[in-house]
Amino acid sequence: MQIRFPSKSRSPASLNSWSINPFLHQSYLYLLSSQCSFPCSFLLQRLTPTPSAVFWWNALIRRAVRLGFLHHSLSLFCRMLSLGWSPDHYTFPFVFKACGELSSFRHGSSLHAVICSNGFDSNVFVCNAVVAMYGRCGALDHARQMFDEMCMSEIYDLVSWNSMITAYMQSGDSKSVLGFFRRMCEVGDKDIRPDPVSLVNVLPACASMNAWLCGKQVHSYALRSGLFEDVFVGNSLVDMYAKCGMMHEAYKVFERMQEKDVVSWNAMVTGYSQIGRFEDALALFEAMREENIELDVVSWSAVIAGYAQRGLGYEAMEVFRLMQVCGSKPNEVTLVSLLSGCAAVGALLQGKGTHCYAIKCILNFDKSDPREEHLAVNAIIDMYTKCKSIKVARAIFDSIVPKDRNVVTWTTMIAGYSLHGEANDAIELFSQMLNQDISVKPNAFTISCALMACARLAALRFGRQIHAYVLRNHYDVLFVANCLIDMYSKSGDIDVARTVFDNMKQRNAVSWTSLMTGYGMHGQGEAALNVFDEMRREGLVPDCITFLVVLYACSHSGMVDEGIKYFNEMSKNFGVIPGEEHYACMVDILGRAGRLDEAMKLIDGMPMETGPIVWVALLSGCRKHANVELGEYAANRLLELESENDGSYTLLSNIYANARRWKDVSRIRSLMKHTGIKKRPGCSWVQGKKGTATFFVGDRTHPQSKQIYAILTELIRRIKVLGYVPETSFALHDVDDEEKGDLLFEHSEKLALAYGILTSAPGAPIRITKNLRVCGDCHSAITHISMIIDHEIVLRDSTRFHHFKKGSCSCRGYW
């Protein structure tokens, strides 16, 4: 039926005569309110203001609110007042609802004043609407004040309590939700008993606080009161148990539910996925498909997220493809999970495709939720960093307006730099985050990523500054303390690492392992084993990682017998089966001690296939003890495994050079060139007063280069008097010994030491870091230099720390 509106050309007289018929007028208004989005109010303007005619204003306002035309509903209300019509107790709830959905505290509080002046503040229907409005606007204090006034006037009902519980739930204040629900149950009024709305609001609060015991009490009440049969209550119970990790209880509730919908199934699938029981999640997902339950975006997203969390990125992509075939539209959670899957397997091409999809479906709309945009953009940055496209990730980061970057955005970019070898950029970006005008404070994860970067660079000074920031801002978080232990250990200050450990209020296995690793790196094997014994006395059960650290500490401290003892006890006394890494550590222990035949016998008895790390460990021992024949054998095994480790080629080249087999040295270099393997250039950096200085072999680019070489020349002259003789076997060139000495003179660690002496305060430790293992000649030279200077020299190479002081090194030759 088509409605014919009165013509604008009609005269006022004809319009008045047309609107005299009340039945015709009311029928026309009813059709307008039920079928039109923007009803006209000119007919209402012609009616005489009477209480019964207010019904039609209410109908128009209600219709506008239901259709989402919230501003229009407020305009209608204002026009109603301006024309002299008096709203009734049915009018105000609709207008308060519009204010709440608009989160317009200003309009809502003004309307509150109107009801107080008109005497509607004693109407429970209107007052409940006021409480709900303040709750939606986030004004919890005003909502609570209104509720308390209702209680004092004794005009409350069940809806009043539910409105208050809902307000707390919407604000995320789960503790107040539970407290208010308990108070509601204690009222004792038979009319104030929790209904399905109450339970549906309180159960998510139990889930968010992991208050499963309170959730069980609510479950018992639902069974006693018969509310369990409500599908929404059942779904909330399943969701609560699932989020508390109690999937057995969740499944029992799910099985008992007589009526299930897609939400019920989704809660189970998501719950199994989140606790890592992905086989169960996938089985339920397949059952949904077999029973022809219409899968929604939550169902698909849960399975995609499950695959992504397990690192099965390609499987996640396949599920996403099926999702698109079925016509289900992904949301931001789906895309974030898919991006995580792409990142897990380094699928850059698929990640780029997902990025394009996100631009078209989420990031290219003016009305999109800013929170959804942040979620998607952060996931895109994370994907690019984990796919090693750091420059693209940084370009996206830089394209975000600074005020729109949240803490996750900063943390994701800093973490990307820290995890993929760009530690300097990570520290620089963290400094930029702290110094920016916009107040985005780093969280515990940001701090941890910055500390990881400091640990990679051995940037002790900056690490100390972060530690001070942690203390000032009370980041009392376990994993931050663990990162501090790791940072101090890898930056050369094991004593402070121990102090951090001793001051921790709680510790986990990572805490103990980090400290043991630190002692091992610094050649303090006995201290590492003491920590291991302390750990066992505290009741922690050592695992495969713990024993790997113990063997590592024994290796770098020359504790051969202890290493053999713990290796043999692993499976006998602790039930830990040795893996390839444990065998590699044992080969390293025996190789360093010159027991190469025993190392080879151990390799022959390995229950698994021998991998590259074992042969590299053997090759390293052959280099140390000049065993050319066995070194060649280990190198050939590495070639068969197609290992592209430049270090193994360098070790073999060193073996040949030490045996003066220069043709073989040239052959190895030719082989490296043919296979495209490039030897990493030796690089050393040292902390000075004005920052960190970096040196390569023969480096003369530093502004103070002349002074550096002058100091180094004088040092070499003085230590030669003390008995230093250049170890020319470390100069891998077929030239005379004098020229080899000149080549050794320019090694990067020697240049870094000279710069450290030039710029450091008297008596201050000089901290040097090298990207490769320290050269044997440099080790000998620095040992002699430590006899004639007042500085302690702390050198960190690719495997351990060397503390040089008064003519001795902490490694005691086990380097």
Side-chain angles (χ1 to χ4, degrees):
M1 180 180 69
Q2 184 177 5
I3 300 175
R4 299 175 79 72
F5 289 89
S7 172
K8 291 183 180 179
S9 61
R10 286 190 182 180
S11 64
S14 63
L15 184 58
N16 284 335
S17 62
W18 179 84
S19 60
I20 287 174
N21 188 331
F23 177 77
L24 177 63
H25 200 136
Q26 292 177 7
S27 299
Y28 182 66
L29 285 169
Y30 177 78
L31 289 171
L32 272 177
S33 66
S34 62
Q35 297 185 21
C36 300
S37 299
F38 294 100
C40 299
S41 58
F42 67 92
L43 292 175
L44 291 172
Q45 297 176 28
R46 295 290 175 175
L47 290 176
T48 304
T50 60
S52 60
V54 173
F55 169 83
W56 303 110
W57 281 104
N58 293 346
L60 294 174
I61 294 171
R62 179 178 68 242
R63 183 64 178 171
V65 172
R66 287 180 177 173
L67 291 174
F69 302 122
L70 305 175
H71 289 289
H72 183 65
S73 65
L74 297 181
S75 299
L76 283 172
F77 177 73
C78 292
R79 187 179 303 174
M80 177 184 181
L81 294 177
S82 67
L83 293 172
W85 296 80
S86 298
D88 61 11
H89 61 284
Y90 293 109
T91 313
F92 288 108
F94 296 123
V95 186
F96 275 122
K97 185 177 181 182
C99 295
E101 292 190 8
L102 287 169
S103 293
S104 177
F105 176 81
R106 184 171 62 87
H107 286 102
S109 56
S110 300
L111 191 61
H112 187 185
V114 171
I115 69 161
C116 290
S117 61
N118 291 344
F120 286 100
D121 54 340
S122 60
N123 184 288
V124 66
F125 192 46
V126 175
C127 290
N128 286 341
V130 175
V131 173
M133 179 274 297
Y134 280 130
R136 284 176 177 265
C137 292
L140 293 180
D141 292 340
H142 290 76
R144 182 60 185 267
Q145 184 179 350
M146 185 68 202
F147 177 82
D148 290 341
E149 290 175 1
M150 292 169 66
C151 291
M152 290 177 63
S153 304
E154 297 186 347
I155 58 169
Y156 60 87
D157 61 5
L158 178 60
V159 177
S160 315
W161 287 88
N162 283 343
S163 297
M164 205 58 228
I165 291 173
T166 303
Y168 280 125
M169 192 63 221
Q170 288 171 343
S171 71
D173 189 354
S174 299
K175 187 175 181 180
S176 295
V177 171
L178 297 183
F180 216 80
F181 181 77
R182 289 193 185 96
R183 181 181 164 190
M184 176 183 179
C185 295
E186 294 167 357
V187 169
D189 189 334
K190 64 179 181 179
D191 294 326
I192 310 298
R193 290 180 179 175
D195 64 353
V197 175
S198 316
L199 302 191
V200 166
N201 276 295
V202 76
L203 285 168
C206 296
S208 67
M209 296 184 66
N210 199 32
W212 57 268
L213 185 59
C214 181
K216 279 195 168 185
Q217 293 171 346
V218 175
H219 185 185
S220 299
Y221 175 82
L223 291 170
R224 292 196 308 270
S225 59
L227 299 178
F228 178 79
E229 302 305 322
D230 187 289
V231 66
F232 297 106
V233 173
N235 289 344
S236 297
L237 282 167
V238 172
D239 183 67
M240 182 273 297
Y241 282 124
K243 287 179 178 174
C244 290
M246 303 171 69
M247 290 307 300
H248 180 68
E249 287 77 4
Y251 186 74
K252 287 199 293 187
V253 173
F254 179 77
E255 284 287 284
R256 189 169 176 177
M257 289 173 65
Q258 294 181 358
E259 180 185 354
K260 300 183 184 75
D261 58 12
V262 68
V263 177
S264 321
W265 289 85
N266 287 345
M268 289 298 298
V269 173
T270 304
Y272 278 130
S273 180
Q274 288 176 342
I275 66 169
R277 290 175 57 179
F278 189 65
E279 290 76 12
D280 294 320
L282 194 58
L284 274 178
F285 180 75
E286 293 299 331
M288 291 175 71
R289 299 182 69 181
E290 290 173 5
E291 296 188 22
N292 294 321
I293 296 171
E294 186 176 354
L295 302 172
D296 63 7
V297 66
V298 178
S299 319
W300 292 102
S301 299
V303 177
I304 292 170
Y307 275 127
Q309 287 165 7
R310 297 182 68 193
L312 301 173
Y314 292 109
E315 288 80 354
M317 294 175 217
E318 177 61 22
V319 174
F320 180 71
R321 188 189 65 78
L322 289 174
M323 178 182 182
Q324 290 180 301
V325 170
C326 294
S328 184
K329 187 178 179 182
N331 60 13
E332 71 282 354
V333 176
T334 320
L335 295 180
V336 167
S337 298
L338 185 62
L339 287 164
S340 176
C342 295
V345 294
L348 180 60
L349 185 61
Q350 290 85 345
K352 286 181 176 180
T354 309
H355 182 187
C356 293
Y357 192 98
I359 291 172
K360 288 186 283 188
C361 298
I362 293 179
L363 305 178
N364 203 31
F365 292 95
D366 294 335
K367 294 183 179 179
S368 60
D369 189 338
R371 290 172 298 180
E372 294 178 3
E373 286 197 3
H374 285 149
L375 196 66
V377 171
N378 293 339
I380 290 166
I381 294 173
D382 182 64
M383 181 274 297
Y384 279 116
T385 60
K386 289 179 179 174
C387 290
K388 300 182 180 179
S389 289
I390 301 290
K391 290 183 179 179
V392 178
R394 183 57 189 262
I396 296 170
F397 177 85
D398 290 337
S399 69
I400 304 171
V401 180
K403 67 180 181 63
D404 291 337
R405 296 174 190 158
N406 60 18
V407 66
V408 180
T409 314
W410 286 94
T411 304
T412 303
M413 195 66 238
I414 293 169
Y417 279 135
S418 297
L419 294 171
H420 298 287
E422 304 291 342
N424 279 313
D425 293 313
I427 292 175
E428 183 182 344
L429 194 62
F430 182 73
S431 300
Q432 185 181 333
M433 180 184 184
L434 292 179
N435 295 328
Q436 63 174 335
D437 294 332
I438 303 167
S439 56
V440 178
K441 285 186 65 177
N443 60 21
F445 293 103
T446 324
I447 298 289
S448 299
C449 293
L451 288 171
M452 285 170 54
C454 293
R456 282 180 177 270
L457 291 172
L460 182 60
R461 183 180 300 169
F462 197 81
R464 283 171 175 165
Q465 293 172 358
I466 296 176
H467 190 183
Y469 182 87
V470 166
L471 294 174
R472 288 197 305 271
N473 293 277
H474 308 290
Y475 286 90
D476 191 13
V477 183
L478 178 60
F479 61 83
V480 171
N482 289 341
C483 286
L484 282 168
I485 294 172
D486 184 63
M487 182 276 295
Y488 278 115
S489 297
K490 291 178 179 177
S491 297
D493 203 335
I494 189 63
D495 293 333
V496 176
R498 180 69 202 223
T499 302
V500 172
F501 178 85
D502 290 338
N503 289 329
M504 291 173 70
K505 295 177 181 177
Q506 57 176 339
R507 305 181 185 112
N508 61 7
V510 177
S511 316
W512 293 92
T513 305
S514 296
L515 186 61
M516 279 190 285
T517 304
Y519 278 127
M521 289 181 70
H522 289 266
Q524 299 184 32
E526 292 182 3
L529 297 184
N530 288 337
V531 173
F532 177 70
D533 292 336
E534 287 180 48
M535 175 184 173
R536 290 173 58 193
R537 284 195 293 270
E538 290 290 327
L540 274 80
V541 180
D543 58 10
C544 59
I545 296 175
T546 313
F547 278 104
L548 193 63
V549 172
V550 168
L551 294 175
Y552 170 86
C554 292
S555 172
H556 287 283
S557 302
M559 303 171 71
V560 182
D561 294 336
E562 290 84 350
I564 294 172
K565 170 193 166 188
Y566 283 111
F567 181 78
N568 292 331
E569 288 183 352
M570 282 176 60
S571 55
K572 290 181 182 178
N573 299 345
F574 299 94
V576 178
I577 305 301
E580 185 183 359
E581 295 85 358
H582 301 93
Y583 278 96
C585 269
M586 278 307 302
V587 170
D588 189 56
I589 288 173
L590 295 170
R592 287 173 187 271
R595 295 159 68 167
L596 295 171
D597 291 338
E598 291 179 54
M600 195 62 224
K601 186 177 179 180
L602 182 68
I603 293 172
D604 291 337
M606 284 176 62
M608 74 282 294
E609 191 172 337
T610 309
I613 58 172
V614 177
W615 294 117
V616 170
L618 181 64
L619 191 58
S620 180
C622 294
R623 163 67 184 89
K624 183 175 179 63
H625 296 284
N627 191 322
V628 179
E629 183 180 352
L630 192 57
E632 285 181 319
Y633 178 78
N636 288 331
R637 298 289 76 78
L638 281 167
L639 290 174
E640 289 174 5
L641 294 171
E642 298 181 352
S643 173
E644 295 185 355
N645 183 357
D646 66 314
S648 58
Y649 287 92
T650 303
L651 284 170
L652 184 58
S653 183
N654 286 342
I655 292 172
Y656 285 137
N658 195 41
R660 296 185 177 275
R661 291 170 54 173
W662 301 112
K663 288 184 179 179
D664 289 318
V665 172
S666 298
R667 179 174 57 83
I668 294 297
R669 289 178 178 170
S670 177
L671 181 62
M672 291 177 68
K673 185 177 181 180
H674 179 71
T675 54
I677 297 174
K678 294 182 178 179
K679 181 184 180 297
R680 287 171 295 168
C683 173
S684 300
W685 56 96
V686 61
Q687 298 175 26
K689 290 181 179 178
K690 297 182 179 179
T692 302
T694 305
F695 297 92
F696 293 88
V697 61
D699 199 336
R700 295 180 183 272
T701 59
H702 196 277
Q704 295 175 287
S705 181
K706 288 184 179 180
Q707 295 166 276
I708 292 169
Y709 275 89
I711 288 175
L712 187 55
T713 301
E714 177 61 18
L715 289 172
I716 297 297
R717 186 192 65 77
R718 291 178 64 186
I719 62 176
K720 281 183 177 180
V721 175
L722 297 175
Y724 162 71
V725 178
E727 298 187 26
T728 55
S729 62
F730 289 93
L732 306 182
H733 297 275
D734 186 12
V735 294
D736 59 43
D737 285 349
E738 185 177 350
E739 191 171 346
K740 285 182 179 181
D742 293 338
L743 292 171
L744 294 171
F745 175 80
E746 298 181 339
H747 277 195
S748 63
E749 49 265 65
K750 291 189 181 80
L751 297 174
L753 174 58
Y755 175 78
I757 294 171
L758 178 66
T759 58
S760 299
I766 298 172
R767 302 180 186 278
I768 303 168
T769 306
K770 187 176 181 182
N771 64 332
L772 306 175
R773 291 183 68 174
V774 62
C775 158
D777 176 71
C778 290
H779 189 279
S780 174
I782 295 172
T783 303
H784 282 84
I785 290 171
S786 68
M787 299 169 64
I788 59 174
I789 63 174
D790 294 331
H791 304 273
E792 178 188 2
I793 304 163
V794 182
L795 191 153
R796 170 185 157 186
D797 66 10
S798 59
T799 60
R800 60 164 301 145
F801 274 91
H802 302 264
H803 293 258
F804 299 92
K805 194 171 184 180
K806 296 182 179 179
S808 65
C809 178
S810 60
C811 72
R812 301 191 301 277
Y814 294 101
W815 58 273

